[in-house]
Amino acid sequence: MKRHLLEAADLDRADATLVLDTAAQIESALAGREVKKLPTLRGRTVVNLFFEDSTRTRISFELAAKRLSADVINFSAKGSSVSKGESLKDTALTLEAMGADGIVVRHGASGAPHRLATWVAGSVVNAGDGTHEHPTQALLDAYTIRRRLGRLEGVRVVITGDVLHSRVARSNVWLLHTLGAEVTLVAPPTLLPVGVGSWPVTVSYDLDAVLPAADVVMMLRVQGERMNASFFPSAREYSRRYGLDAERMARLSDDAIVMHPGPMNRGMEIAADVADSPRSTIVEQVGNGVSVRMAVLYLLLGGPA
């Protein structure tokens, strides 16, 4: 493993597989234990440096670090010196001077974790930057697919929705391609990024046409907060063409699974009965996220497996 985890594209097949295998080993080691903790990172300090609101990602990283016995500092930009004008660099250097061995950063600006990694001596983990990448989400998605289907090589994954604003989609495209899966992106033309033709994917605008051949359907949240223009006629029209409801889910093969990185817009990109169905891995993804983030922190801060 490299010193930092900044984007999924940095991971080769060996490193990505090492993370997934380590997560499985950690999960096995903790199974059945009354106290779900390992002493691996005792004496190390992890800082969760969040400049954007987050619930599941911050808590997941916090729980992962604590289960490895690390000391954890949660830093939110709101109510901190950042609100008085302190720069990202000065904030990072201050936290490092206080003994941070690893910094988990979420930032609204694409590329912020890369800049941070040039300023600090410790490891930096990208927990989501702008519309760029969210590598640990892709790793936990790959881990979930492998657990459910038993493989990643040759798995046909359909990623549907707001690809333009989705760091989850970008990270999944690169990681799943590295691990041998075949990815198809489905979205309105207005929600696909410029340059998508150079990505290792197939692009379709017709969800119904690609569902029968899919092993995995990954729905993306429509990110209204990042939209400064009208990208589709209406929520109803979007849901009619790109939402996954029970009728559409019936077109999937019997073994296919449904994923969503959360949080969901129930009734828009995914119907409530689909989200809560046995085929859905949405809750499972949250649980797997802790194991995968434990694996990442262990491999970056605690040495090789």
Side-chain angles (χ1 to χ4, degrees):
M1 286 282 289
K2 297 178 180 177
R3 186 157 62 92
H4 310 293
L5 177 58
L6 301 177
E7 53 186 271
D10 286 342
L11 295 168
D12 58 23
R13 183 178 286 219
D15 282 344
T17 303
L18 176 62
V19 173
L20 304 188
D21 290 345
T22 303
Q25 291 169 14
I26 287 173
E27 198 169 286
S28 297
L30 292 177
R33 286 196 183 196
E34 187 174 342
V35 179
K36 295 187 179 302
K37 292 195 77 166
L38 298 171
T40 314
L41 295 186
R42 185 174 292 160
R44 312 300 295 272
T45 300
V46 175
V47 176
N48 291 325
L49 185 59
F50 277 58
F51 290 84
E52 276 189 340
D53 292 337
S54 168
T55 302
R56 70 187 65 209
T57 302
R58 186 187 61 75
I59 292 174
S60 183
F61 269 109
E62 181 178 355
L63 189 56
K66 286 181 174 177
R67 284 188 175 174
L68 292 169
S69 302
D71 296 319
V72 181
I73 299 171
N74 290 315
F75 178 95
S76 173
K78 289 180 181 175
S80 72
S81 296
V82 173
S83 61
K84 301 175 184 175
E86 186 174 75
S87 68
L88 173 63
K89 181 177 183 178
D90 288 336
T91 301
L93 294 177
T94 298
L95 294 171
E96 186 173 59
M98 293 179 180
D101 299 295
I103 297 177
V104 178
V105 60
R106 168 170 287 203
H107 202 287
S110 300
H114 291 71
R115 294 294 295 151
L116 189 64
T118 66
W119 297 325
V120 299
S123 294
V124 174
V125 180
N126 181 2
D129 60 328
T131 59
H132 177 227
E133 280 234 24
H134 194 351
T136 58
Q137 178 68 44
L139 284 163
L140 75 88
D141 290 338
Y143 183 75
T144 302
I145 294 170
R146 196 177 73 166
R147 278 195 59 175
R148 277 289 188 111
L149 303 183
R151 71 192 198 286
L152 286 161
E153 183 75 39
V155 169
R156 292 161 296 191
V157 181
V158 173
I159 301 177
T160 306
D162 186 1
V163 179
L164 178 64
H165 301 100
S166 177
R167 50 200 177 202
V168 173
R170 282 170 177 75
S171 289
N172 265 294
V173 164
W174 293 112
L175 184 69
L176 290 171
H177 173 69
T178 297
L179 292 170
E182 301 169 13
V183 179
T184 299
L185 298 178
V186 182
T190 51
L191 288 178
L192 288 169
V194 174
V196 71
S198 64
W199 294 12
V201 298
T202 302
V203 174
S204 173
Y205 308 112
D206 187 348
L207 179 58
D208 292 318
V210 301
L211 285 179
D215 299 305
V216 177
V217 180
M218 186 181 297
M219 306 306 295
L220 301 174
R221 184 173 69 87
V222 177
Q223 301 187 39
E225 74 277 13
R226 297 186 192 277
M227 295 182 182
N228 55 9
S230 179
F231 288 83
F232 44 81
S234 67
R236 184 176 179 182
E237 172 71 7
Y238 178 89
S239 182
R240 190 178 67 81
R241 295 199 58 186
Y242 297 100
L244 188 63
D245 55 17
E247 184 179 341
R248 267 205 177 106
M249 190 171 67
R251 302 184 186 193
L252 293 169
S253 65
D254 293 341
D255 297 328
I257 59 174
V258 175
M259 308 182 75
H260 194 301
M264 295 177 282
N265 295 312
R266 286 178 181 251
M268 190 170 181
E269 70 260 7
I270 189 167
D273 51 350
V274 174
D276 299 331
S277 74
R279 285 187 169 195
S280 167
T281 66
I282 296 168
V283 175
E284 190 178 329
Q285 287 170 259
V286 176
N288 290 340
V290 178
S291 300
V292 166
R293 285 166 180 135
M294 286 178 74
V296 168
L297 292 175
Y298 168 68
L299 291 169
L300 292 180
L301 305 179

mmCIF file with all atom_site columns, all heavy atoms in Angstrom, residues 243-262:
data_model
loop_
_atom_site.group_PDB
_atom_site.id
_atom_site.type_symbol
_atom_site.label_atom_id
_atom_site.label_alt_id
_atom_site.label_comp_id
_atom_site.label_asym_id
_atom_site.label_entity_id
_atom_site.label_seq_id
_atom_site.pdbx_PDB_ins_code
_atom_site.Cartn_x
_atom_site.Cartn_y
_atom_site.Cartn_z
_atom_site.occupancy
_atom_site.B_iso_or_equiv
_atom_site.pdbx_formal_charge
_atom_site.auth_seq_id
_atom_site.auth_comp_id
_atom_site.auth_asym_id
_atom_site.auth_atom_id
_atom_site.pdbx_PDB_model_num
ATOM 1   N N   . GLY A 1 243 ? -35.769 5.853   -12.310 1.00 0.00 ? 243 GLY A N   1
ATOM 2   C CA  . GLY A 1 243 ? -35.981 5.326   -10.967 1.00 0.00 ? 243 GLY A CA  1
ATOM 3   C C   . GLY A 1 243 ? -36.133 3.812   -10.988 1.00 0.00 ? 243 GLY A C   1
ATOM 4   O O   . GLY A 1 243 ? -36.597 3.228   -11.969 1.00 0.00 ? 243 GLY A O   1
ATOM 5   N N   . LEU A 1 244 ? -35.739 3.168   -9.887  1.00 0.00 ? 244 LEU A N   1
ATOM 6   C CA  . LEU A 1 244 ? -35.873 1.709   -9.789  1.00 0.00 ? 244 LEU A CA  1
ATOM 7   C C   . LEU A 1 244 ? -37.050 1.385   -8.884  1.00 0.00 ? 244 LEU A C   1
ATOM 8   O O   . LEU A 1 244 ? -37.002 1.603   -7.676  1.00 0.00 ? 244 LEU A O   1
ATOM 9   C CB  . LEU A 1 244 ? -34.581 1.100   -9.223  1.00 0.00 ? 244 LEU A CB  1
ATOM 10  C CG  . LEU A 1 244 ? -34.523 -0.434  -9.243  1.00 0.00 ? 244 LEU A CG  1
ATOM 11  C CD1 . LEU A 1 244 ? -34.559 -0.967  -10.675 1.00 0.00 ? 244 LEU A CD1 1
ATOM 12  C CD2 . LEU A 1 244 ? -33.256 -0.934  -8.541  1.00 0.00 ? 244 LEU A CD2 1
ATOM 13  N N   . ASP A 1 245 ? -38.129 0.883   -9.503  1.00 0.00 ? 245 ASP A N   1
ATOM 14  C CA  . ASP A 1 245 ? -39.301 0.471   -8.731  1.00 0.00 ? 245 ASP A CA  1
ATOM 15  C C   . ASP A 1 245 ? -39.451 -1.051  -8.841  1.00 0.00 ? 245 ASP A C   1
ATOM 16  O O   . ASP A 1 245 ? -38.640 -1.739  -9.477  1.00 0.00 ? 245 ASP A O   1
ATOM 17  C CB  . ASP A 1 245 ? -40.562 1.185   -9.220  1.00 0.00 ? 245 ASP A CB  1
ATOM 18  C CG  . ASP A 1 245 ? -40.808 0.984   -10.712 1.00 0.00 ? 245 ASP A CG  1
ATOM 19  O OD1 . ASP A 1 245 ? -40.206 0.056   -11.301 1.00 0.00 ? 245 ASP A OD1 1
ATOM 20  O OD2 . ASP A 1 245 ? -41.600 1.743   -11.290 1.00 0.00 ? 245 ASP A OD2 1
ATOM 21  N N   . ALA A 1 246 ? -40.491 -1.598  -8.227  1.00 0.00 ? 246 ALA A N   1
ATOM 22  C CA  . ALA A 1 246 ? -40.664 -3.052  -8.197  1.00 0.00 ? 246 ALA A CA  1
ATOM 23  C C   . ALA A 1 246 ? -40.845 -3.633  -9.590  1.00 0.00 ? 246 ALA A C   1
ATOM 24  O O   . ALA A 1 246 ? -40.356 -4.725  -9.896  1.00 0.00 ? 246 ALA A O   1
ATOM 25  C CB  . ALA A 1 246 ? -41.858 -3.392  -7.305  1.00 0.00 ? 246 ALA A CB  1
ATOM 26  N N   . GLU A 1 247 ? -41.547 -2.909  -10.446 1.00 0.00 ? 247 GLU A N   1
ATOM 27  C CA  . GLU A 1 247 ? -41.771 -3.403  -11.804 1.00 0.00 ? 247 GLU A CA  1
ATOM 28  C C   . GLU A 1 247 ? -40.454 -3.519  -12.560 1.00 0.00 ? 247 GLU A C   1
ATOM 29  O O   . GLU A 1 247 ? -40.206 -4.504  -13.248 1.00 0.00 ? 247 GLU A O   1
ATOM 30  C CB  . GLU A 1 247 ? -42.724 -2.448  -12.533 1.00 0.00 ? 247 GLU A CB  1
ATOM 31  C CG  . GLU A 1 247 ? -43.111 -2.910  -13.931 1.00 0.00 ? 247 GLU A CG  1
ATOM 32  C CD  . GLU A 1 247 ? -44.083 -1.945  -14.604 1.00 0.00 ? 247 GLU A CD  1
ATOM 33  O OE1 . GLU A 1 247 ? -44.719 -1.142  -13.875 1.00 0.00 ? 247 GLU A OE1 1
ATOM 34  O OE2 . GLU A 1 247 ? -44.198 -1.989  -15.829 1.00 0.00 ? 247 GLU A OE2 1
ATOM 35  N N   . ARG A 1 248 ? -39.600 -2.515  -12.410 1.00 0.00 ? 248 ARG A N   1
ATOM 36  C CA  . ARG A 1 248 ? -38.284 -2.582  -13.093 1.00 0.00 ? 248 ARG A CA  1
ATOM 37  C C   . ARG A 1 248 ? -37.407 -3.658  -12.455 1.00 0.00 ? 248 ARG A C   1
ATOM 38  O O   . ARG A 1 248 ? -36.670 -4.359  -13.143 1.00 0.00 ? 248 ARG A O   1
ATOM 39  C CB  . ARG A 1 248 ? -37.576 -1.223  -12.979 1.00 0.00 ? 248 ARG A CB  1
ATOM 40  C CG  . ARG A 1 248 ? -37.839 -0.323  -14.130 1.00 0.00 ? 248 ARG A CG  1
ATOM 41  C CD  . ARG A 1 248 ? -36.784 0.708   -14.364 1.00 0.00 ? 248 ARG A CD  1
ATOM 42  N NE  . ARG A 1 248 ? -37.169 1.435   -15.559 1.00 0.00 ? 248 ARG A NE  1
ATOM 43  C CZ  . ARG A 1 248 ? -37.657 2.663   -15.552 1.00 0.00 ? 248 ARG A CZ  1
ATOM 44  N NH1 . ARG A 1 248 ? -37.776 3.316   -14.431 1.00 0.00 ? 248 ARG A NH1 1
ATOM 45  N NH2 . ARG A 1 248 ? -38.007 3.235   -16.680 1.00 0.00 ? 248 ARG A NH2 1
ATOM 46  N N   . MET A 1 249 ? -37.465 -3.767  -11.129 1.00 0.00 ? 249 MET A N   1
ATOM 47  C CA  . MET A 1 249 ? -36.616 -4.750  -10.452 1.00 0.00 ? 249 MET A CA  1
ATOM 48  C C   . MET A 1 249 ? -36.951 -6.167  -10.924 1.00 0.00 ? 249 MET A C   1
ATOM 49  O O   . MET A 1 249 ? -36.092 -7.054  -10.943 1.00 0.00 ? 249 MET A O   1
ATOM 50  C CB  . MET A 1 249 ? -36.769 -4.635  -8.936  1.00 0.00 ? 249 MET A CB  1
ATOM 51  C CG  . MET A 1 249 ? -35.744 -5.467  -8.168  1.00 0.00 ? 249 MET A CG  1
ATOM 52  S SD  . MET A 1 249 ? -35.728 -5.140  -6.394  1.00 0.00 ? 249 MET A SD  1
ATOM 53  C CE  . MET A 1 249 ? -37.328 -5.765  -5.912  1.00 0.00 ? 249 MET A CE  1
ATOM 54  N N   . ALA A 1 250 ? -38.198 -6.385  -11.317 1.00 0.00 ? 250 ALA A N   1
ATOM 55  C CA  . ALA A 1 250 ? -38.613 -7.712  -11.787 1.00 0.00 ? 250 ALA A CA  1
ATOM 56  C C   . ALA A 1 250 ? -37.911 -8.107  -13.082 1.00 0.00 ? 250 ALA A C   1
ATOM 57  O O   . ALA A 1 250 ? -37.903 -9.280  -13.453 1.00 0.00 ? 250 ALA A O   1
ATOM 58  C CB  . ALA A 1 250 ? -40.126 -7.731  -11.975 1.00 0.00 ? 250 ALA A CB  1
ATOM 59  N N   . ARG A 1 251 ? -37.308 -7.162  -13.771 1.00 0.00 ? 251 ARG A N   1
ATOM 60  C CA  . ARG A 1 251 ? -36.581 -7.478  -15.005 1.00 0.00 ? 251 ARG A CA  1
ATOM 61  C C   . ARG A 1 251 ? -35.176 -8.004  -14.729 1.00 0.00 ? 251 ARG A C   1
ATOM 62  O O   . ARG A 1 251 ? -34.487 -8.453  -15.641 1.00 0.00 ? 251 ARG A O   1
ATOM 63  C CB  . ARG A 1 251 ? -36.485 -6.235  -15.884 1.00 0.00 ? 251 ARG A CB  1
ATOM 64  C CG  . ARG A 1 251 ? -37.836 -5.665  -16.244 1.00 0.00 ? 251 ARG A CG  1
ATOM 65  C CD  . ARG A 1 251 ? -37.726 -4.494  -17.185 1.00 0.00 ? 251 ARG A CD  1
ATOM 66  N NE  . ARG A 1 251 ? -39.041 -3.893  -17.383 1.00 0.00 ? 251 ARG A NE  1
ATOM 67  C CZ  . ARG A 1 251 ? -39.328 -3.019  -18.317 1.00 0.00 ? 251 ARG A CZ  1
ATOM 68  N NH1 . ARG A 1 251 ? -38.395 -2.628  -19.148 1.00 0.00 ? 251 ARG A NH1 1
ATOM 69  N NH2 . ARG A 1 251 ? -40.538 -2.521  -18.429 1.00 0.00 ? 251 ARG A NH2 1
ATOM 70  N N   . LEU A 1 252 ? -34.738 -7.906  -13.489 1.00 0.00 ? 252 LEU A N   1
ATOM 71  C CA  . LEU A 1 252 ? -33.400 -8.396  -13.143 1.00 0.00 ? 252 LEU A CA  1
ATOM 72  C C   . LEU A 1 252 ? -33.396 -9.914  -13.057 1.00 0.00 ? 252 LEU A C   1
ATOM 73  O O   . LEU A 1 252 ? -34.426 -10.546 -12.797 1.00 0.00 ? 252 LEU A O   1
ATOM 74  C CB  . LEU A 1 252 ? -32.967 -7.820  -11.792 1.00 0.00 ? 252 LEU A CB  1
ATOM 75  C CG  . LEU A 1 252 ? -32.732 -6.308  -11.730 1.00 0.00 ? 252 LEU A CG  1
ATOM 76  C CD1 . LEU A 1 252 ? -32.582 -5.862  -10.286 1.00 0.00 ? 252 LEU A CD1 1
ATOM 77  C CD2 . LEU A 1 252 ? -31.490 -5.943  -12.529 1.00 0.00 ? 252 LEU A CD2 1
ATOM 78  N N   . SER A 1 253 ? -32.199 -10.491 -13.231 1.00 0.00 ? 253 SER A N   1
ATOM 79  C CA  . SER A 1 253 ? -32.073 -11.936 -13.039 1.00 0.00 ? 253 SER A CA  1
ATOM 80  C C   . SER A 1 253 ? -32.268 -12.271 -11.557 1.00 0.00 ? 253 SER A C   1
ATOM 81  O O   . SER A 1 253 ? -32.185 -11.395 -10.689 1.00 0.00 ? 253 SER A O   1
ATOM 82  C CB  . SER A 1 253 ? -30.696 -12.405 -13.512 1.00 0.00 ? 253 SER A CB  1
ATOM 83  O OG  . SER A 1 253 ? -29.685 -11.849 -12.694 1.00 0.00 ? 253 SER A OG  1
ATOM 84  N N   . ASP A 1 254 ? -32.487 -13.539 -11.270 1.00 0.00 ? 254 ASP A N   1
ATOM 85  C CA  . ASP A 1 254 ? -32.831 -13.942 -9.904  1.00 0.00 ? 254 ASP A CA  1
ATOM 86  C C   . ASP A 1 254 ? -31.724 -13.640 -8.892  1.00 0.00 ? 254 ASP A C   1
ATOM 87  O O   . ASP A 1 254 ? -31.996 -13.414 -7.710  1.00 0.00 ? 254 ASP A O   1
ATOM 88  C CB  . ASP A 1 254 ? -33.141 -15.449 -9.865  1.00 0.00 ? 254 ASP A CB  1
ATOM 89  C CG  . ASP A 1 254 ? -34.416 -15.775 -10.627 1.00 0.00 ? 254 ASP A CG  1
ATOM 90  O OD1 . ASP A 1 254 ? -35.212 -14.848 -10.849 1.00 0.00 ? 254 ASP A OD1 1
ATOM 91  O OD2 . ASP A 1 254 ? -34.590 -16.947 -11.006 1.00 0.00 ? 254 ASP A OD2 1
ATOM 92  N N   . ASP A 1 255 ? -30.457 -13.653 -9.336  1.00 0.00 ? 255 ASP A N   1
ATOM 93  C CA  . ASP A 1 255 ? -29.332 -13.467 -8.412  1.00 0.00 ? 255 ASP A CA  1
ATOM 94  C C   . ASP A 1 255 ? -28.851 -12.024 -8.327  1.00 0.00 ? 255 ASP A C   1
ATOM 95  O O   . ASP A 1 255 ? -27.935 -11.734 -7.546  1.00 0.00 ? 255 ASP A O   1
ATOM 96  C CB  . ASP A 1 255 ? -28.152 -14.356 -8.851  1.00 0.00 ? 255 ASP A CB  1
ATOM 97  C CG  . ASP A 1 255 ? -28.517 -15.834 -8.791  1.00 0.00 ? 255 ASP A CG  1
ATOM 98  O OD1 . ASP A 1 255 ? -29.323 -16.202 -7.923  1.00 0.00 ? 255 ASP A OD1 1
ATOM 99  O OD2 . ASP A 1 255 ? -27.993 -16.596 -9.619  1.00 0.00 ? 255 ASP A OD2 1
ATOM 100 N N   . ALA A 1 256 ? -29.420 -11.148 -9.116  1.00 0.00 ? 256 ALA A N   1
ATOM 101 C CA  . ALA A 1 256 ? -28.924 -9.767  -9.147  1.00 0.00 ? 256 ALA A CA  1
ATOM 102 C C   . ALA A 1 256 ? -29.247 -9.033  -7.846  1.00 0.00 ? 256 ALA A C   1
ATOM 103 O O   . ALA A 1 256 ? -30.248 -9.318  -7.186  1.00 0.00 ? 256 ALA A O   1
ATOM 104 C CB  . ALA A 1 256 ? -29.547 -9.027  -10.333 1.00 0.00 ? 256 ALA A CB  1
ATOM 105 N N   . ILE A 1 257 ? -28.378 -8.091  -7.490  1.00 0.00 ? 257 ILE A N   1
ATOM 106 C CA  . ILE A 1 257 ? -28.555 -7.324  -6.248  1.00 0.00 ? 257 ILE A CA  1
ATOM 107 C C   . ILE A 1 257 ? -28.707 -5.840  -6.562  1.00 0.00 ? 257 ILE A C   1
ATOM 108 O O   . ILE A 1 257 ? -28.319 -5.368  -7.640  1.00 0.00 ? 257 ILE A O   1
ATOM 109 C CB  . ILE A 1 257 ? -27.384 -7.528  -5.270  1.00 0.00 ? 257 ILE A CB  1
ATOM 110 C CG1 . ILE A 1 257 ? -26.049 -7.102  -5.901  1.00 0.00 ? 257 ILE A CG1 1
ATOM 111 C CG2 . ILE A 1 257 ? -27.327 -8.987  -4.818  1.00 0.00 ? 257 ILE A CG2 1
ATOM 112 C CD1 . ILE A 1 257 ? -24.865 -7.141  -4.930  1.00 0.00 ? 257 ILE A CD1 1
ATOM 113 N N   . VAL A 1 258 ? -29.290 -5.122  -5.593  1.00 0.00 ? 258 VAL A N   1
ATOM 114 C CA  . VAL A 1 258 ? -29.513 -3.674  -5.728  1.00 0.00 ? 258 VAL A CA  1
ATOM 115 C C   . VAL A 1 258 ? -28.698 -2.954  -4.653  1.00 0.00 ? 258 VAL A C   1
ATOM 116 O O   . VAL A 1 258 ? -28.765 -3.311  -3.469  1.00 0.00 ? 258 VAL A O   1
ATOM 117 C CB  . VAL A 1 258 ? -31.006 -3.338  -5.559  1.00 0.00 ? 258 VAL A CB  1
ATOM 118 C CG1 . VAL A 1 258 ? -31.221 -1.823  -5.588  1.00 0.00 ? 258 VAL A CG1 1
ATOM 119 C CG2 . VAL A 1 258 ? -31.836 -4.013  -6.639  1.00 0.00 ? 258 VAL A CG2 1
ATOM 120 N N   . MET A 1 259 ? -27.953 -1.920  -5.079  1.00 0.00 ? 259 MET A N   1
ATOM 121 C CA  . MET A 1 259 ? -27.101 -1.171  -4.145  1.00 0.00 ? 259 MET A CA  1
ATOM 122 C C   . MET A 1 259 ? -27.438 0.320   -4.202  1.00 0.00 ? 259 MET A C   1
ATOM 123 O O   . MET A 1 259 ? -27.961 0.822   -5.191  1.00 0.00 ? 259 MET A O   1
ATOM 124 C CB  . MET A 1 259 ? -25.618 -1.376  -4.488  1.00 0.00 ? 259 MET A CB  1
ATOM 125 C CG  . MET A 1 259 ? -25.207 -2.824  -4.613  1.00 0.00 ? 259 MET A CG  1
ATOM 126 S SD  . MET A 1 259 ? -23.452 -3.043  -4.967  1.00 0.00 ? 259 MET A SD  1
ATOM 127 C CE  . MET A 1 259 ? -22.735 -2.695  -3.361  1.00 0.00 ? 259 MET A CE  1
ATOM 128 N N   . HIS A 1 260 ? -27.086 1.013   -3.129  1.00 0.00 ? 260 HIS A N   1
ATOM 129 C CA  . HIS A 1 260 ? -27.220 2.470   -3.077  1.00 0.00 ? 260 HIS A CA  1
ATOM 130 C C   . HIS A 1 260 ? -26.248 2.958   -1.996  1.00 0.00 ? 260 HIS A C   1
ATOM 131 O O   . HIS A 1 260 ? -26.244 2.417   -0.878  1.00 0.00 ? 260 HIS A O   1
ATOM 132 C CB  . HIS A 1 260 ? -28.657 2.875   -2.721  1.00 0.00 ? 260 HIS A CB  1
ATOM 133 C CG  . HIS A 1 260 ? -28.968 4.330   -2.959  1.00 0.00 ? 260 HIS A CG  1
ATOM 134 N ND1 . HIS A 1 260 ? -28.273 5.350   -2.353  1.00 0.00 ? 260 HIS A ND1 1
ATOM 135 C CD2 . HIS A 1 260 ? -29.899 4.924   -3.744  1.00 0.00 ? 260 HIS A CD2 1
ATOM 136 C CE1 . HIS A 1 260 ? -28.761 6.510   -2.757  1.00 0.00 ? 260 HIS A CE1 1
ATOM 137 N NE2 . HIS A 1 260 ? -29.746 6.294   -3.614  1.00 0.00 ? 260 HIS A NE2 1
ATOM 138 N N   . PRO A 1 261 ? -25.422 3.986   -2.301  1.00 0.00 ? 261 PRO A N   1
ATOM 139 C CA  . PRO A 1 261 ? -24.444 4.437   -1.298  1.00 0.00 ? 261 PRO A CA  1
ATOM 140 C C   . PRO A 1 261 ? -25.066 5.255   -0.172  1.00 0.00 ? 261 PRO A C   1
ATOM 141 O O   . PRO A 1 261 ? -24.409 5.486   0.845   1.00 0.00 ? 261 PRO A O   1
ATOM 142 C CB  . PRO A 1 261 ? -23.478 5.291   -2.131  1.00 0.00 ? 261 PRO A CB  1
ATOM 143 C CG  . PRO A 1 261 ? -24.322 5.806   -3.261  1.00 0.00 ? 261 PRO A CG  1
ATOM 144 C CD  . PRO A 1 261 ? -25.292 4.694   -3.569  1.00 0.00 ? 261 PRO A CD  1
ATOM 145 N N   . GLY A 1 262 ? -26.322 5.693   -0.340  1.00 0.00 ? 262 GLY A N   1
ATOM 146 C CA  . GLY A 1 262 ? -26.975 6.506   0.668   1.00 0.00 ? 262 GLY A CA  1
ATOM 147 C C   . GLY A 1 262 ? -26.371 7.900   0.756   1.00 0.00 ? 262 GLY A C   1
ATOM 148 O O   . GLY A 1 262 ? -25.247 8.115   0.311   1.00 0.00 ? 262 GLY A O   1
#
